[in-house]
């Protein structure tokens, strides 16, 4: 876990010392070095780019403690053993900088007890900083103070964790397992108990408790395997030992089957087997009766799956009234969790939103338990829960607390979220860092600005909305499915650029949620070709090029604020703006080969220009082909960068472009970049010529195609497409080093783009992708 946390820090440009035990032999840092090397191979990838591993320096506790005074933040992430942590604290405390923050990544040990192992001078700078695994991808970080922690330190640390690390913070009390694991593990245990009660198999339970219920696709048992059954048992043991008076304590026992699996060494994914086991391409499930692994893949009953598509109120009522065991199971696990959350709200969380956010951010749920309860009808659901408690059907006889029945409509409203300990509604955090989140994530029932209607709308239709928050900068938001570009969207984008040039200081392309843009509207392309033929299709492509050139050469700065996918035409839009502000996890790529086409909205022209400019800077204008090879291969393989950092290292983002850690700060930073450019008296780039690779470079690229085809990595039709791509990238039939302008290459794009559309194999690729969602290389 320590290495994974280190990886996330370096992803965002923060260098790290990674300490581990000293090893025997000449290389005392071998253990830490090996952990760094494993980061490069781990999946899902902890590193946004493998090159970032160089930012992590290996160290050991004996030889390198003198390096600690140079660290502003020290995070302890060793195993959950108090004696080990005690020994480590005694070792490192004398070497800490007087202002350094010391934080523990413990998932459940008492921070107050840990604090007493530290010198008094360090205690005010000590707290819990609990990352969820894997740290790069899970957005929740719990921040836990002790009685001695300086309050201002928590504010500063929360701002750092939010903006610099891109995490979402829940401030937790120093209670066993804090908020996320306290509620999440309880819910998992309740699910295991109810699954056994209703006789459901692991695969059916995972199907019922995964996406169908608005939770992580791994469901319950698969999640336990990923977490590790030994880790699950440790968290459960913490609940047992530290909560002897909990009214749900009878449920806090390691399930016998889990104990048996642990004893057999079947710890889940890390050991190759747990509740499930992968054999070749098959996923087998454990049969508890025989302790053998059998065929898996059973799904929810269709009639129950249909119930889960209902609105919350009707869904819960129908599940509770049904005689189907799967439906009764689903009501039971939600009832149990609602019951537990209400009983423990006062002693586990500062407000109801913290429980909801912890499950959303730490466990991948679409909404938290209190949100579901409130949207389903607070008082009605409360009455059902209490009826089940009175009937002995719940997991604990403890009644719901009195505040549940005080006439309220829920726990979230315009005043904030319910704080059961204080008996009042607690508003959202007033910290300045949250002012950067113009449309912060909220819980159902809280009043929050809606980015779909906020600000002042200048024009709006079914394709695009142009609006402003400050009358200075125009924001353009695509409204099409997956934010694809069709005729209406392209017309609207051109209109937005013109309006920004006439009445505003800049234009920002941004939309709430994801993706940035999945590219051109393939259905629309096929429709135009069928209806208007090649002339109409060519006119549509020209319109796409015109929109991209308008972005690139606008009289005011244009800024792409990207998160999620930026593919095909969406990537071309990304490339053509004056500046790119991208969330770290933005995945960009020119993937048109998958549909039998080439990047025809200026994408190839941009790559050719960048290669020519690099060749000029290096003093080798005749060797543009050498600068083109990597991008040519990327386009042919339809490669998608796994992060904005990878895009930057490939040259698709410039040094002036910005990578943002927190997705909710993206619009704020993009508007700030547009403002900075405008304040600097921005003027658009003048058209310029650049050297191209010419026919000599094309020969080099085509030879690569032939080699890949002979190796079985490309089809014959891939070579046809690739030859057209090489022709555009190299500037056509000219000599290497010839200076050309963008207009010449854009004309080549139009020519080959339209020619490829006349091929039946291209139209087949488009149709297969539309029908199946998967590309085919015919």
């Amino acid at each position: 876990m320590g290495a994974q946390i280190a990886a996330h820090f370096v992803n965002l440009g923060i260098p790290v010392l990674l300490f581990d035990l000293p090893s025997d032999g000449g290389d005392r840092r071998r253990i830490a070095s090996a952990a760094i090397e494993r980061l490069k191979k781990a999946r899902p990838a902890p590193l946004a780019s493998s090159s970032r591993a160089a930012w992590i320096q290996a160290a050991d506790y004996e030889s390198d403690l003198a390096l600690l005074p140079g660290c502003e933040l020290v995070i302890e992430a060793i195993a959950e053993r108090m004696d080990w942590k005690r020994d480590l604290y005694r070792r490192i405390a004398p070497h800490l900088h007087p202002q350094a923050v010391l934080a523990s990544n413990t998932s459940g040990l008492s921070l107050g007890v840990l604090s007493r192992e530290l010198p008094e001078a360090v205690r005010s700078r000590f707290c819990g900083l609990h990352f969820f695994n894997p740290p790069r991808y899970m957005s929740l970080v719990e921040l836990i103070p002790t009685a001695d922690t300086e309050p201002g330190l928590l504010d500063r640390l929360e701002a750092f964790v939010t903006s610099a690390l891109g995490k979402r913070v829940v401030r937790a009390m120093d209670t066993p397992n804090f908020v996320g694991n306290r509620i999440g593990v309880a819910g998992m245990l309740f699910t295991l108990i109810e699954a056994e009660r209703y006789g459901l198999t692991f695969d059916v339970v995972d199907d019922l408790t995964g996406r169908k219920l608005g939770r992580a696709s791994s469901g319950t048992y698969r999640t336990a395997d990923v977490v590790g059954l030994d880790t699950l048992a440790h968290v459960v043991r913490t609940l047992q030992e530290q909560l002897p008076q909990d009214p749900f304590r009878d449920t806090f026992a390691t399930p016998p089957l889990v104990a048996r699996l642990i004893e057999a060494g079947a710890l889940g994914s890390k050991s190759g087997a747990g509740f499930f086991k992968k054999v070749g391409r098959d996923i087998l499930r454990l049969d508890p009766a025989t302790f053998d692994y059998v065929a898996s893949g059973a799904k929810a009953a269709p009639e129950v799956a249909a119930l889960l598509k209902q609105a919350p109120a009707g869904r819960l009522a129908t599940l509770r009234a049904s005689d189907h065991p799967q439906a009764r199971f689903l009501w039971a696990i939600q009832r149990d969790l609602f019951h537990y959350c209400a009983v423990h709200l006062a002693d586990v969380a500062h407000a109801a939103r913290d429980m909801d956010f912890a499950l959303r951010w730490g466990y991948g749920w679409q909404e938290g338990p209190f949100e579901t309860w409130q949207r389903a009808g607070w008082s009605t659901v409360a009455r059902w829960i209490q009826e089940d408690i009175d009937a002995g059907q719940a997991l604990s006889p403890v009644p719901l607390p009195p505040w549940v029945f005080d006439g309220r409509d829920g726990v979230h409203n315009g005043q904030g979220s319910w704080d059961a300990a204080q008996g009042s509604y607690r508003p959202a955090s007033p910290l300045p860092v949250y002012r950067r989140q113009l449309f912060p994530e909220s819980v159902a029932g809280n009043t929050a600005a809606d980015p779909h209607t906020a600000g002042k709308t200048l024009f709006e239709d079914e394709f695009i909305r142009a609006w402003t928050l400050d009358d200075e900068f125009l924001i353009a938001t695509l409204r099409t499915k997956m934010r694809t570009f069709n005729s209406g969207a392209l017309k609207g984008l051109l209109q937005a650029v013109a309006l920004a040039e006439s009445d505003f200081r800049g234009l920002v392309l941004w939309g709430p949620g994801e993706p940035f843009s999945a590219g051109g509207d393939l259905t629309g392309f096929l429709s135009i070709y069928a209806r208007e033929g090649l002339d109409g299709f060519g006119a549509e492509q020209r319109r796409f090029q015109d929109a991209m050139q308008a972005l690139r050469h606008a009289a005011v700065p244009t800024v792409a604020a990207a998160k999620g996918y930026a593919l095909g035409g969406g990537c071309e839009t990304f490339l053509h703006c004056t500046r790119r502000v991208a969330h770290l996890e933005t995945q960009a790529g020119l993937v048109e080969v998958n549909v039998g086409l080439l990047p025809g909205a200026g994408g190839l022209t941009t790559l050719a220009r960048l290669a020519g400019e690099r060749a000029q800077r290096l003093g080798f204008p005749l060797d543009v082909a050498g600068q083109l090879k990597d991008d040519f291969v990327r386009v042919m393989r339809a490669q998608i960068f796994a992060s904005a950092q990878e895009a930057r290292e490939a040259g698709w983002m410039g040094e002036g472009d910005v990578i943002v850690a927190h997705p909710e700060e993206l619009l704020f930073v993009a508007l700030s970049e547009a403002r900075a450019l405008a304040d600097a008296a921005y003027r658009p780039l003048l058209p310029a010529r650049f050297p191209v690779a010419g026919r000599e470079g094309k020969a080099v690229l085509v030879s690569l195609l032939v080699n890949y085809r002979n190796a079985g990595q490309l089809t014959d039709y891939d070579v046809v497409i690739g030859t057209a791509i090489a022709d555009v990238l190299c500037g056509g039939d000219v000599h290497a080093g010839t200076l050309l302008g963008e207009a010449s290459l854009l004309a080549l794009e139009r020519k080959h783009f339209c020619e490829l559309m006349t091929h039946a194999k291209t139209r087949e690729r488009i149709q297969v992708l539309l029908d199946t969602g998967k590309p085919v290389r015919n």
Side-chain angles (χ1 to χ4, degrees), residues 277-309:
K277 179 179 181 180
K278 188 174 183 180
V279 180
R281 295 185 177 181
D282 297 325
I283 302 295
L284 307 181
R285 67 168 176 83
L286 183 72
D287 181 348
T290 64
F291 216 67
D292 291 328
Y293 287 90
V294 298
S296 180
K299 302 293 184 182
E303 60 270 32
V304 177
L307 296 180
L308 290 175
K309 296 179 181 179

Side-chain angles (χ1 to χ4, degrees), residues 15 17 64-74 95-98 100:
L17 284 170
D64 299 309
L65 289 175
L67 298 173
L68 270 181
C71 297
E72 298 176 86
L73 173 62
V74 177
H95 300 276
L96 296 173
H97 188 279

Side-chain angles (χ1 to χ4, degrees), residues 543-607:
R543 187 178 296 113
F544 212 150
Q545 285 189 341
D546 290 345
M548 297 301 101
Q549 290 301 298
L551 286 173
R552 175 165 164 72
H553 297 289
V556 294
T558 59
V559 179
K563 61 181 178 294
Y565 287 111
L567 302 180
C571 183
E572 290 174 298
T573 305
F574 179 74
L575 290 171
H576 278 83
C577 287
T578 310
R579 284 286 186 275
R580 282 141 292 280
V581 175
H583 180 231
L584 174 67
E585 302 301 340
T586 300
Q587 299 182 29
L590 296 172
V591 295
E592 286 84 350
V593 170
N594 283 337
V595 291
L597 294 168
L598 53 75
L604 294 182
T605 297
T606 298
L607 296 184

Side-chain angles (χ1 to χ4, degrees), residues 147 221 331 334 346 434 467 486 489 498 523 556 602 616 660 684 704 734 749 773 777-778:
Y221 288 97
W331 158 251
Q334 293 178 89
Y434 294 113
W467 54 291
N486 55 20
T523 302
V556 294
Q616 280 184 317
V660 174
L704 285 176
V734 297
E749 281 187 4
R777 290 296 183 99
N778 51 5

Side-chain angles (χ1 to χ4, degrees), residues 7-179:
H8 187 65
F9 272 71
V10 298
N11 285 341
L12 295 160
I14 304 168
V16 176
L17 284 170
L18 181 64
F19 279 82
D20 212 315
L21 295 170
S23 57
D24 297 329
D27 183 5
R28 304 284 286 172
R29 306 181 184 97
R30 181 172 52 81
I31 296 176
S33 297
I36 296 170
E37 286 302 309
R38 286 195 297 271
L39 292 173
K40 300 176 184 178
K41 301 175 183 178
R43 294 295 178 269
L47 294 165
S49 165
S50 59
S51 67
R52 287 278 152 161
W55 288 48
I56 307 175
Q57 180 181 343
D60 75 81
Y61 294 130
E62 289 187 359
S63 307
D64 299 309
L65 289 175
L67 298 173
L68 270 181
C71 297
E72 298 176 86
L73 173 62
V74 177
I75 300 175
E76 169 269 304
I78 67 172
E80 297 285 85
R81 282 186 49 174
M82 186 66 73
D83 55 339
W84 290 1
K85 291 180 186 291
R86 180 185 300 117
D87 178 67
L88 177 65
Y89 290 0
R90 289 173 179 172
R91 186 177 300 189
I92 67 174
H95 300 276
L96 296 173
H97 188 279
Q99 277 77 51
V101 175
L102 173 62
S104 174
N105 185 59
T106 178
S107 60
L109 294 179
S110 169
L111 274 302
V113 174
L114 289 174
S115 178
R116 289 196 290 272
E117 303 300 329
L118 292 166
E120 190 171 346
V122 179
R123 292 176 188 174
S124 64
R125 295 179 278 114
F126 175 73
C127 65
L129 193 61
H130 180 217
F131 290 81
F132 275 62
N133 195 25
R136 174 182 171 185
Y137 301 99
M138 299 307 294
S139 63
L140 176 62
V141 167
E142 291 175 317
L143 186 59
I144 311 102
T146 72
D148 297 316
T149 306
E150 176 200 341
L153 179 146
L154 289 180
D155 292 347
R156 296 192 298 274
L157 196 55
E158 184 166 352
F160 170 76
V161 170
T162 300
S163 283
L165 300 183
K167 296 304 178 184
R168 295 177 168 96
V169 173
V170 165
R171 289 207 187 185
M173 302 177 188
D174 189 10
T175 57
N177 296 332
F178 312 128
V179 181

Side-chain angles (χ1 to χ4, degrees), residues 59 85 95 150 167 212 277 329 371 373 412 679 728:
K85 291 180 186 291
H95 300 276
E150 176 200 341
K167 296 304 178 184
K212 287 183 173 68
K277 179 179 181 180
F329 159 79
E371 291 179 284
W373 182 351
H412 307 306
D679 287 348
V728 176

Side-chain angles (χ1 to χ4, degrees), residues 223-288:
T223 297
D225 274 353
V226 171
V227 170
L229 302 189
D230 54 340
T231 302
L232 174 63
H234 168 76
V235 176
V236 172
R237 193 160 49 248
T238 300
L239 293 173
Q240 286 178 310
E241 294 172 353
Q242 298 189 31
L243 297 168
Q245 304 303 318
D246 193 296
F248 289 80
R249 191 178 186 280
D250 288 347
T251 66
F252 298 156
T254 301
L257 180 59
V258 173
R260 188 178 175 189
L261 285 167
I262 293 172
E263 185 179 351
L267 306 181
S269 300
K270 57 188 169 187
S271 67
F275 290 116
F276 294 95
K277 179 179 181 180
K278 188 174 183 180
V279 180
R281 295 185 177 181
D282 297 325
I283 302 295
L284 307 181
R285 67 168 176 83
L286 183 72
D287 181 348

Side-chain angles (χ1 to χ4, degrees), residues 718-735:
D718 285 330
V719 174
V720 172
I721 302 167
T723 301
I725 290 172
D727 192 55
V728 176
L729 286 173
C730 296
D733 191 20
V734 297
H735 285 296

